[in-house]
């Protein structure tokens, strides 16, 4: 037994060294996996984390029942134009939002595609809660702010102008609508307030796209 003791001790030491090496290899592998998951340059990105980074659609833009109603409206409203529209032109997004504090949502629609957009902007529609047209805006682009300021019972709308200026669209009670061509409204230095509701902004308020 005494003669075999060094051999037994050697076997035990070898087993301990092998076990320690395996543990170190596992730690190194775990660290590599963690690095690949966390790094955008890794070969195995964490799809769950990437999905979490993608901003969600604003809830005011995503109701499927409302979208279906608006699809039917647009098909009827644009029925004369439909034959000439390509599939890429038949896209829209919307916000269901109360603009006159009557506890009923108006429907603010943005049309996209070459059929409705040019260098100055796109066509937007504003409908009342009964799907009656209030405004057809021309050469307009997001973001659009619902201001806390009110004119004749309706919230002002604020758009970005040129050279860090802004365009304020105020309700015209006599005409029963907002100015339809924002490009002819005088610009101002007054910016939206921090608590004004923002629409059609990819960073802060994404609108869900639909087709009609």
């Amino acid at each position: 037994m005494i003669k075999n003791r060094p051999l037994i001790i050697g076997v035990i030491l070898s087993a301990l060294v092998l076990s320690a090496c395996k543990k170190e290899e596992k730690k190194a592998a775990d660290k590599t996996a963690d690095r690949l998951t966390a790094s955008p340059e890794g070969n195995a990105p964490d799809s769950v984390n990437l999905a979490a980074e993608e901003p969600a659609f604003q809830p005011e833009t995503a109701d499927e029942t409302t979208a279906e109603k608006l699809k039917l409206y647009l098909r009827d409203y644009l029925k004369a134009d439909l034959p000439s529209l390509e599939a890429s032109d038949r896209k829209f997004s919307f916000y269901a939002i109360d603009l006159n504090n009557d506890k009923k949502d108006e429907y603010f629609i943005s049309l996209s595609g070459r059929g409705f957009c040019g260098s100055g902007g796109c066509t937007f529609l504003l409908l009342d809660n009964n799907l009656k047209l209030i405004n057809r805006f021309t050469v307009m682009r997001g973001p659009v702010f619902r201001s806390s300021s009110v004119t004749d019972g309706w919230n002002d709308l604020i758009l970005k102008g040129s050279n860090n200026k802004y365009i304020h669209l105020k309700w015209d009670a006599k005409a029963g609508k907002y100015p339809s061509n924002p490009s002819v409204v005088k610009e101002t230095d007054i910016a939206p307030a921090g608590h004004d509701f923002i629409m059609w902004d990819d960073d802060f308020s994404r609108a869900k796209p639909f087709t009609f």
Side-chain angles (χ1 to χ4, degrees), residues 54-69:
E54 185 74 11
F57 295 121
Q58 195 73 17
E60 292 86 352
T61 75
D63 182 72
E64 295 288 342
T65 301
T66 300
E68 288 300 320
K69 292 194 301 183

Side-chain angles (χ1 to χ4, degrees), residues 186-212:
K186 186 178 179 179
E187 295 181 343
T188 176
D189 293 324
I190 302 174
H195 54 271
D196 289 345
F197 185 78
I198 185 171
M199 298 175 275
W200 288 291
D201 186 288
D202 287 339
D203 293 323
F204 303 106
S205 182
R206 293 181 69 218
K208 184 175 181 177
F210 295 93
T211 58
F212 63 92

Side-chain angles (χ1 to χ4, degrees), residues 20 49 59 94 136 142 158 161 171 174 187 205:
N49 288 342
F94 72 91
R136 180 185 177 109
I158 303 177
W171 181 259
K174 185 176 181 179
E187 295 181 343
S205 182

Side-chain angles (χ1 to χ4, degrees), residues 30 56 65 97 99 104 118 165 169 180 185 192 195-197 206:
D30 290 343
T65 301
I97 184 169
L99 293 173
K104 297 179 181 179
K165 291 185 178 292
L169 302 181
S180 296
V185 176
H195 54 271
D196 289 345
F197 185 78
R206 293 181 69 218

Side-chain angles (χ1 to χ4, degrees), residues 155-199:
N155 293 91
D156 296 348
L157 302 175
I158 303 177
L159 314 174
K160 287 186 176 180
S162 57
N163 299 319
N164 294 320
K165 291 185 178 292
Y166 297 89
I167 298 169
H168 290 239
L169 302 181
K170 297 180 179 293
W171 181 259
D172 184 341
K174 185 176 181 179
K177 61 180 182 178
Y178 294 97
S180 296
N181 187 350
S183 66
V184 302
V185 176
K186 186 178 179 179
E187 295 181 343
T188 176
D189 293 324
I190 302 174
H195 54 271
D196 289 345
F197 185 78
I198 185 171
M199 298 175 275

Side-chain angles (χ1 to χ4, degrees), residues 93-111:
S93 57
F94 72 91
Y95 279 77
I97 184 169
D98 187 3
L99 293 173
N100 59 357
N101 199 32
D102 65 352
K103 310 305 179 185
K104 297 179 181 179
D105 286 332
E106 279 70 50
Y107 302 113
F108 212 161
I109 303 171
S110 171
L111 298 170

